[in-house]
Amino acid sequence: GVETQETPYGVLAPPLGRARLRIVELLAALLRVGGDTADAAIISARALPLVQALFLAYPCNNLLHHQMYALLVAALRRGSATMTAHIFGECQLVAWLAGLPETVTPRARPGFEGKGPLRAGYLGHVTRIGQVLQEAAQQQQEVADALRDCEEWQAFVQQQLGPRLELEDVMHWQCGRPVSTEGGELDSDGDDFQVGSGVNC
């Protein structure tokens, strides 16, 4: 197999590869249609913690992040008490989600100066996973119980998920752009357009 792979943002050593991505897709499919036997096999193989590790190790692989999201959606929507207990117990989903770094520093490509910290590519899926957890808590008592007294979940919702959902709520945008809470620049192109209460579109 390939030992390293150069990407626009840095070097992957080793790259994720198709085989590992297909395995994560298979796990998502098993959780969608599976039952007690599939759940037991996935739990005994410690497959979900391995997928969590891949998610963190490949912060710019959108295909992998989507499959992790699909896997969690399938597991939570099926409502398996065994899988729910595994997700919040051994997998420590909330602590993992809340502890994911918001920036990553890629390994520099040979002959190029290394890029500084970049916004982690998985943050959009982190938001989506947070939303799925909120929805599941409204529909399933096991999920609601797991989240109710979890301080990490409360902190995650207050510090990360809530502000992100508010920023993405287009009903609060002005002039087709998110409202800046600091009143600073809205984009990185040097546009000095400022949002204020008196802005005319």
Side-chain angles (χ1 to χ4, degrees):
V2 178
E3 301 272 333
T4 63
Q5 178 182 0
E6 291 188 17
T7 69
Y9 66 89
V11 174
L12 298 176
L16 176 67
R18 285 188 184 153
R20 288 196 279 183
L21 181 61
R22 295 291 180 244
I23 290 169
V24 177
E25 289 177 15
L26 175 62
L27 290 170
L30 283 172
L31 286 169
R32 244 187 321 274
V33 299
D36 293 342
T37 305
D39 287 355
I42 290 169
I43 291 169
S44 68
R46 298 198 77 251
L48 299 188
L50 292 173
V51 175
Q52 289 174 287
L54 289 174
F55 188 98
L56 178 60
Y58 296 93
C60 296
N61 191 315
N62 194 47
L63 295 173
L64 173 64
H65 307 155
H66 178 72
Q67 290 306 320
M68 175 67 173
Y69 167 77
L71 183 152
L72 288 170
V73 167
L76 290 168
R77 290 199 176 148
R78 250 190 50 235
S80 161
T82 303
M83 189 55 70
T84 299
H86 176 64
I87 287 170
F88 290 104
E90 185 178 358
C91 296
Q92 298 182 7
L93 180 63
V94 174
W96 173 78
L97 203 59
L100 288 168
E102 293 190 13
T103 60
V104 294
T105 303
R107 184 172 150 187
R109 292 185 292 162
F112 291 90
E113 186 178 326
K115 295 189 178 199
L118 304 172
R119 183 177 188 271
Y122 49 63
L123 291 178
H125 283 95
V126 167
T127 301
R128 293 179 71 191
I129 292 168
Q131 288 178 293
V132 166
L133 287 174
Q134 285 183 321
E135 292 168 11
Q138 294 171 358
Q139 299 166 0
Q140 298 174 37
Q141 192 60 47
E142 294 91 350
V143 177
D145 291 344
L147 297 179
R148 182 179 303 112
D149 299 321
C150 180
E151 291 179 16
E152 287 171 313
W153 172 251
Q154 304 306 326
F156 173 74
V157 169
Q158 188 176 30
Q159 297 166 12
Q160 295 178 51
L161 185 60
R164 174 55 52 188
L165 293 176
E166 188 176 328
L167 179 67
E168 293 175 2
D169 184 358
V170 296
M171 302 311 287
H172 290 98
W173 287 13
Q174 293 179 0
C175 302
R177 296 179 181 219
V179 176
S180 174
T181 54
E182 286 90 30
E185 293 183 2
L186 293 174
D187 59 29
S188 60
D189 297 328
D191 183 359
D192 48 13
F193 176 87
Q194 302 280 326
V195 174
S197 57
V199 172
N200 294 320
C201 294

